[in-house]
Amino acid sequence: MSQSANHRKSIAIEKIRADFPILSKKVNGKPLVYFDNASTAQKPKLVIDAITNYYENQNANIHRGVHTLSQEITIAYENARVTVQKHLNAAHPHEIIFTKGTTESINLIASSFGKKFISKGDEIIVSEMEHHSNILPWQQVCEERGALLKVIPINDAGELIISDYKRLLNSKTKIVAITHLSNTLGTINPIEEIIALAHAQNIPVLVDGAQAVPHIRVDVQKLFADFYVFSGHKLFGPTGVGILYGKEKWLNELPPYQVGGGTIKTVTFEKTDFADLPLKFEAGTPHIEGGIGLAVAIDYINTIGLDAIAEYEHELLVYATEKLETIEGVKIIGTSKNKASVISFIVDGLHPFDIGTILDQLGIAVRTGHHCTQPLMQRFGIPGTIRASFAFYNTKEEIDIFLSGLEKAIKMLK
Amino acid sequence: MSIEATENEIVDEFEMFEDWIQKYEYLIDLGKSLPLIDEKYKTEDNLIKGCQSQVWMHSELKDGKIVYTADSDAIITKGMVALMVRVLSNHSPEEIINSKLDFVEKIGLTKHLSPTRSNGLVSMIKQMKLDAVAYKIKN
Ligand SMILES: Cc1ncc(COP(=O)(O)O)c(C=O)c1O
């Protein structure tokens, strides 16, 4: 594709909105304004249809049967794996492990990596802006194995302090686990640099990509990520399915996480030979229609184009930020220059819960609270924020509705 | 006045409101105007943690009747808290244990009491009743 043709590709908003059935819904008698995309994204009709079609026409168990349906669905499921592989530009399909979601992917690595590589006195690095799902599994490994959790601090703008990160890296560090994009602040972390610094000391890095994949093109080989994890449901796909990308070399070295049907070559009561990748990490019957639906979601996003999406969402971010800043008493939490379309804010003297409750009455869905990042809230000395997070199907008109709703809420509550 | 009579009184008051805005403005005013709890009772022991907002609740037995005081960090929750205190306070443990509290549904605010709402209200009501059970056993 030529440079200019690439650039011409822009968002056809009305057409896109028509692809998402839920967007025409009314909530509390008002047209839904859905600004809680960082919690979970809405699903295009294509994804919903793929799931229905699976149950109506394709249902069979994978990897098991000689019969036609089983063979067909096995092929469809493995094709879904290839779609994910290509989307992340992973080197091999077997580097893509299907999981339940980001949380399970992180638990898998924390557990398997911990068993094999972490012992007393070792260190694990996370950051102050992590989601609880990227803190608790590591905290538990530390407790079990007598290791220490080290935390990269952030500055007032909500950016990692890289000089502190450099100081934390040392010969005792066994792994770095860090988010690509903060679900609360919207900050996009300099993940290439973070990985390069760790690799300079032969330390592997797990990237929590839950929030990044809906907004940014991710190339795991270009990033040199050792592990990259995300959830299907935040990427316009089904809930209950997620991805663990791991470099072949690492995945081969790690012991299985859960064991059972599907993970083996041969079993006797004395000994089990485990299957090769990816099956070694996929115990039990998986979320088959989830994997297939996720691939449909990825194809859908790619027809719009992640570059066009990023450009459009940036416009929404700038528009909303500028207008929010003019409302008296509003303070934005997370002011990095490198931000995705996630805005957290507080309003002087008002509780986020109260604002969220009034906005809900107006049909506007935002998230309020600590967003599963309590240490981050402690860092800013606040109980929680109101968070508006935009997807490519949101519009400036919706932002206007949200802003006037916010002004109304403030007036009522003051 | 019985618990039920107070509930009915609240239902009547809410029937005068024309829309949700008036309803919420009333709750907000309630929340703002009521000095609900003595600062010395805002202790960790009396704290009922919700995921979104938190509630403090304290109870005392006076002449065979329970007096509740409570507070919340969120104003709409505080308004709801005030309604609960108005309904249940100054009644015997027996009456409180047997109260149905279906006025919440009648005034159209049930969603504030859904367990998923996690504003601490459901736990507060549970605690109010547990306190009543405890006082009843003690007597
Ligand atoms: C940065 C981040 N990590 C992890 C998670 C957990 O994702 P899931 O609940 O899909 O496992 C989330 C979801 O909110 C997130 O935003």
Side-chain angles (χ1 to χ4, degrees):
Chain A
M1 200 189 288
S2 79
Q3 197 61 25
S4 64
N6 201 356
H7 203 75
R8 286 280 88 84
K9 203 168 172 183
S10 65
I11 296 280
I13 193 70
E14 283 315 316
K15 193 175 156 298
I16 285 171
R17 287 184 68 84
D19 291 337
F20 291 80
I22 210 171
L23 294 182
S24 48
K25 193 180 157 69
K26 286 201 164 160
V27 170
N28 290 322
K30 311 278 186 329
L32 168 66
V33 172
Y34 189 75
F35 283 175
D36 195 18
N37 293 286
S39 291
T40 198
Q42 299 303 346
K43 322 302 173 199
K45 184 87 170 36
L46 282 170
V47 170
I48 300 164
D49 288 347
I51 293 169
T52 312
N53 182 51
Y54 168 77
Y55 285 111
E56 286 181 355
N57 298 306
Q58 298 176 292
N59 181 46
N61 210 332
I62 56 164
H63 307 307
R64 309 259 152 93
V66 293
H67 64 80
T68 305
L69 277 182
S70 174
Q71 286 177 4
E72 282 175 1
I73 200 62
T74 302
I75 291 168
Y77 194 65
E78 289 310 313
N79 282 343
R81 195 189 302 278
V82 171
T83 301
V84 178
Q85 175 219 345
K86 294 208 168 117
H87 188 65
L88 296 178
N89 191 31
H92 311 286
H94 59 254
E95 292 180 321
I96 303 298
I97 311 293
F98 282 114
T99 65
K100 280 199 306 209
T102 307
T103 305
E104 189 181 50
S105 299
I106 297 171
N107 272 281
L108 190 163
I109 294 304
S111 166
S112 293
F113 189 92
K115 259 186 234 161
K116 176 105 186 217
F117 293 108
I118 295 176
S119 43
K120 201 168 163 47
D122 285 343
E123 295 178 2
I124 295 169
I125 297 180
V126 296
S127 89
E128 209 169 12
M129 67 169 82
E130 296 312 311
H131 188 279
H132 293 165
S133 287
N134 198 28
I135 300 175
L136 273 53
W138 303 110
Q139 216 167 36
Q140 189 156 346
V141 169
C142 286
E143 259 170 45
E144 281 167 11
R145 314 196 71 84
L148 289 170
L149 197 63
K150 296 285 174 178
V151 183
I152 311 167
I154 59 169
N155 62 24
D156 291 341
E159 298 161 326
L160 296 172
I161 303 174
I162 298 295
S163 54
D164 283 336
Y165 169 54
K166 287 181 187 162
R167 270 194 289 277
L168 287 177
L169 287 166
N170 70 67
S171 60
K172 283 182 280 180
T173 313
K174 286 288 146 32
I175 191 165
V176 176
I178 191 119
T179 191
H180 195 165
L181 201 164
S182 161
N183 64 308
T184 305
L185 305 166
T187 312
I188 303 170
N189 287 324
I191 212 73
E192 267 187 90
E193 184 187 359
I194 289 165
I195 293 172
L197 285 165
H199 283 183
Q201 304 195 37
N202 288 318
I203 302 160
V205 179
L206 174 140
V207 183
D208 175 352
Q211 294 295 335
V213 284
H215 303 291
I216 305 174
R217 185 182 300 291
V218 173
D219 179 331
V220 289
Q221 294 193 78
K222 206 166 134 219
L223 291 174
F224 291 102
D226 300 282
F227 304 105
Y228 197 99
V229 302
F230 66 90
S231 302
H233 70 94
K234 293 185 203 274
L235 190 61
F236 316 96
T239 52
V241 67
I243 295 298
L244 159 63
Y245 157 80
K247 269 187 202 154
E248 181 183 42
K249 154 179 110 79
W250 283 114
L251 293 180
N252 275 331
E253 278 195 57
L254 297 183
Y257 172 55
Q258 293 179 334
V259 292
T263 58
I264 52 95
K265 274 183 188 149
T266 56
V267 178
T268 64
F269 280 110
E270 288 72 39
K271 188 179 176 341
T272 295
D273 266 341
F274 284 102
D276 294 330
L277 293 174
L279 298 184
K280 174 175 137 187
F281 289 108
E282 294 181 350
T285 299
H287 187 1
I288 303 170
E289 77 281 19
I292 289 169
L294 174 57
V296 172
I298 288 174
D299 285 339
Y300 175 80
I301 292 156
N302 285 330
T303 60
I304 300 171
L306 269 167
D307 295 330
I309 287 174
E311 193 178 319
Y312 177 72
E313 288 179 346
H314 186 71
E315 238 177 78
L316 294 180
L317 173 72
V318 171
Y319 183 79
T321 305
E322 278 173 3
K323 295 225 159 173
L324 260 178
E325 279 170 341
T326 65
I327 298 178
E328 206 184 303
V330 167
K331 182 170 178 234
I332 293 177
I333 306 292
T335 48
S336 171
K337 275 195 213 76
N338 211 2
K339 236 179 114 164
S341 52
V342 175
I343 310 181
S344 257
F345 62 95
I346 51 174
V347 183
D348 245 0
L350 300 183
H351 199 289
F353 173 80
D354 290 322
I355 298 206
T357 302
I358 306 275
L359 289 177
D360 173 52
Q361 285 294 327
L362 295 165
I364 302 160
V366 293
R367 178 90 180 262
T368 62
H370 53 66
H371 319 295
C372 295
T373 54
Q374 285 184 2
L376 182 61
M377 296 295 101
Q378 287 148 19
R379 160 66 176 78
F380 282 99
I382 51 179
T385 72
I386 303 140
R387 181 187 69 188
S389 50
F390 314 128
F392 55 82
Y393 46 61
N394 290 127
T395 65
K396 287 187 184 168
E397 290 72 35
E398 288 181 307
I399 293 175
D400 289 338
I401 294 171
F402 156 69
L403 291 164
S404 75
L406 177 62
E407 283 178 307
K408 186 169 194 156
I410 294 174
K411 216 166 103 207
M412 281 176 76
L413 291 162
K414 271 267 154 84
Chain B
M1 205 190 295
S2 71
I3 287 182
E4 214 180 309
T6 317
E7 290 191 53
N8 288 336
E9 195 179 78
I10 292 172
V11 172
D12 286 346
E13 283 166 23
F14 270 75
E15 262 166 16
M16 296 183 331
F17 300 138
E18 281 160 15
D19 56 15
W20 70 269
I21 295 186
Q22 292 185 350
K23 232 187 247 182
Y24 276 79
E25 278 174 344
Y26 177 72
L27 277 183
I28 292 163
D29 281 345
L30 265 184
K32 277 183 193 163
S33 59
L34 286 172
L36 287 164
I37 198 169
D38 198 319
E39 275 303 314
K40 72 170 183 263
Y41 294 131
K42 269 184 142 179
T43 57
E44 195 65 24
D45 263 0
N46 286 334
L47 177 64
I48 298 161
K49 272 198 170 144
C51 194
Q52 294 277 343
S53 59
Q54 26 203 18
V55 173
W56 291 264
M57 198 272 290
H58 171 74
S59 69
E60 281 173 305
L61 194 65
K62 278 188 189 154
D63 307 327
K65 297 188 167 173
I66 303 178
V67 176
Y68 294 102
T69 47
D71 198 355
S72 171
D73 55 349
I75 203 84
I76 294 173
T77 309
K78 200 167 161 180
M80 292 289 295
V81 163
L83 286 179
M84 287 299 161
V85 169
R86 176 171 153 202
V87 169
L88 292 180
S89 212
N90 283 309
H91 288 282
S92 69
E94 189 75 33
E95 285 175 279
I96 291 163
I97 292 165
N98 293 327
S99 64
K100 289 204 200 67
L101 303 177
D102 42 15
F103 77 101
V104 181
E105 196 183 323
K106 291 186 188 143
I107 61 177
L109 292 174
T110 329
K111 70 174 173 191
H112 290 284
L113 294 188
S114 79
T116 53
R117 205 66 188 184
S118 56
N119 52 12
L121 271 173
V122 174
S123 312
M124 182 189 77
I125 294 168
K126 207 185 274 168
Q127 194 57 49
M128 286 171 120
K129 290 206 165 192
L130 281 175
D131 284 8
V133 171
Y135 287 123
K136 191 183 164 192
I137 293 168
K138 250 193 253 166
N139 284 5

